[in-house]
């Protein structure tokens, strides 16, 4: 079995070796951000959107990246870890350099890149569908500076995933303080009704998902109707279809919410369109 490596600040290290200080600020305070990225056929079609979100997040957290952290830099650093793989799941974590307590001594950025080889050549359709339920043990705060970012403090999503596993669900759905649907523990959420695809706006507290941004930008060009508006739990029962999306898994169809069964026709067509569109980028 070949050795697995990670990339810490440009240096390759065996993945089973200790590499971070106990004073790491991402460990102490969740003082960092991360991106989960999909590589398809040695190409990362949504990389620009990932990097845009990463740099917006660093600006919000006042983490200062080096001036050379551009597209070509990240392609080179990712390639060090992915070797000659064609398909992979990649995680970039950026964190503030160590020093200080709550108040940091420095604002310089460091990075860690991890990768996992995948066999699938494109996004796979989940033909059996997901069962979901609302998780009431974790809440997303709409209007927070942090709610739209992918920070290293992901406890609501951890609790949501634990809830889903305990109840033998495919995923759980999270609410904001207004008791409206925000997202799932791992993905943005969409409802389909009368030919319209609806997803919560960022003001509701959802993560500014890269795949979500891609869909909002590209679907209208292809003739799909999509809009952002608040969603209540009761709206789920009136929906014809429900699906989730994230950059690693693509679109996943939701089959069951309580005793409500959903269709999949539009979701499957959208899944196929996504694979075709990304292959052409």
């Amino acid at each position: 079995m070949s050795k697995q490596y990670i990339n810490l600040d440009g240096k390759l290290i065996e993945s089973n070796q200790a590499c971070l200080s106990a004073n790491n600020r991402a460990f102490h305070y969740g003082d960092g951000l991360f991106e989960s990225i999909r590589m398809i056929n040695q190409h990362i079609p949504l990389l620009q959107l990932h990097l845009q979100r990463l740099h917006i997040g660093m600006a919000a957290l006042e983490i200062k990246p080096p001036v050379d952290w551009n597209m070509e830099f990240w392609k080179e650093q990712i390639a060090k870890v992915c070797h000659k793989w064609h398909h992979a799941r990649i995680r970039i974590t950026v964190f503030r350099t160590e020093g200080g307590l709550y108040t940091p001594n420095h604002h310089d950025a460091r990075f860690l890149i991890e990768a996992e080889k995948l066999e699938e050549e494109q996004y796979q359709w989940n033909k059996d569908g997901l069962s979901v339920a609302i998780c009431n043990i974790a809440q997303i705060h709409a209007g927070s500076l942090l709610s739209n970012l992918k920070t290293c403090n992901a406890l609501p999503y951890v609790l949501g995933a634990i809830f889903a596993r305990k109840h033998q669900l495919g995923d759980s759905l999270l609410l904001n303080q207004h008791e409206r649907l925000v997202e799932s523990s791992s993905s943005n959420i969409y409802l389909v009704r009368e030919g319209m695809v609806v997803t919560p706006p960022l003001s509701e507290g959802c993560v500014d998902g890269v795949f979500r941004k891609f869909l909002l930008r590209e679907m209208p060009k292809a003739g799909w109707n999509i809009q952002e508006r608040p969603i209540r739990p009761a709206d789920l029962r009136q929906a014809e279809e429900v699906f989730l999306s994230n950059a690693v898994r693509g679109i996943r169809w939701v089959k069951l919410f309580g005793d409500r069964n959903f269709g999949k026709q539009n979701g499957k067509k959208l899944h196929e369109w996504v694979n075709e569109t990304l292959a052409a980028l």
Side-chain angles (χ1 to χ4, degrees):
M1 183 176 179
S2 60
K3 292 181 179 179
Q4 186 76 27
Y5 292 90
I6 59 175
N7 181 344
L8 178 62
D9 297 325
K11 181 180 179 181
L12 285 183
I13 302 171
E14 288 187 37
S15 59
N16 61 353
Q17 300 298 310
C19 62
L20 296 176
S21 164
N23 295 321
N24 179 274
R25 292 189 61 86
F27 172 70
H28 272 190
Y29 306 113
D31 190 3
L33 305 141
F34 72 97
E35 293 289 327
S36 298
I37 302 170
R38 181 73 177 260
M39 182 175 74
I40 302 171
N41 291 318
Q42 295 188 321
H43 178 55
I44 306 174
L46 302 180
L47 182 58
Q48 184 174 15
L49 292 178
H50 281 289
L51 297 182
Q52 286 176 356
R53 182 172 65 179
L54 185 62
H55 281 266
I56 288 171
M58 285 189 285
L61 298 185
E62 299 190 33
I63 296 175
K64 297 180 179 179
V67 294
D68 65 346
W69 279 17
N70 54 29
M71 176 80 77
E72 293 308 312
F73 171 85
W74 288 112
K75 286 182 178 179
E76 178 182 337
Q77 298 304 321
I78 289 169
K80 289 181 180 181
V81 180
C82 291
H83 312 288
K84 297 180 180 179
W85 295 347
H86 285 79
H87 318 293
R89 173 179 182 157
I90 300 157
R91 174 176 166 133
I92 299 175
T93 305
V94 168
F95 48 94
R96 201 186 315 266
T97 191
E98 64 186 54
L101 300 176
Y102 284 130
T103 306
N105 291 341
H106 312 282
H107 295 285
D108 295 336
R110 300 182 63 193
F111 73 86
L112 174 68
I113 301 177
E114 307 159 78
E116 174 189 358
K117 184 178 180 182
L118 299 177
E119 299 300 329
E120 299 87 0
E121 296 183 2
Q122 57 185 0
Y123 291 119
Q124 301 297 301
W125 176 248
N126 63 318
K127 60 182 180 180
D128 294 329
L130 300 173
S131 58
V132 300
I134 291 173
C135 171
N136 290 312
I137 61 174
Q139 188 180 79
I140 304 298
H141 186 74
S144 166
L145 167 69
L146 302 176
S147 61
N148 303 143
L149 305 179
K150 288 202 73 169
T151 73
C152 291
N153 185 344
L155 287 178
Y157 308 105
V158 171
L159 291 174
I162 291 172
F163 175 90
R165 177 175 289 180
K166 279 185 176 180
H167 295 274
Q168 298 182 326
L169 301 168
D171 208 338
S172 67
L173 306 181
L174 305 179
L175 305 177
N176 61 22
Q177 72 270 33
H178 308 299
E179 298 295 312
R180 293 194 291 263
L181 281 169
V182 178
E183 56 203 341
S184 83
S185 73
S186 64
S187 308
N188 291 113
I189 187 170
Y190 311 79
L191 309 187
V192 182
R193 187 178 181 190
E194 297 178 352
M196 177 67 69
V197 178
V198 178
T199 192
L202 296 182
S203 58
E204 290 292 278
C206 61
V207 169
D208 187 9
V210 161
F211 205 93
R212 173 187 182 276
K213 185 169 288 186
F214 164 76
L215 293 180
L216 287 169
R217 184 186 71 189
E218 299 297 329
M219 283 175 62
K221 299 177 186 178
W224 294 84
N225 294 317
I226 183 169
Q227 65 176 225
E228 299 172 90
R229 68 167 183 246
I231 298 175
R232 302 165 302 163
D235 295 330
L236 277 175
R237 295 194 169 276
Q238 300 174 9
E240 298 160 11
E241 298 182 35
V242 178
F243 63 88
L244 309 176
S245 82
N246 66 45
V248 172
R249 296 182 178 178
I251 289 172
R252 294 183 298 153
W253 163 54
V254 174
K255 180 180 180 180
L256 190 64
F257 172 67
D259 59 358
R260 178 72 169 90
N261 281 273
F262 300 107
K264 60 183 177 181
Q265 181 178 2
N266 287 283
K268 189 171 184 181
K269 286 182 179 178
L270 188 58
H271 157 79
E272 293 168 351
W273 171 81
V274 163
N275 276 336
E276 293 173 1
T277 302
L278 292 181
L281 290 180

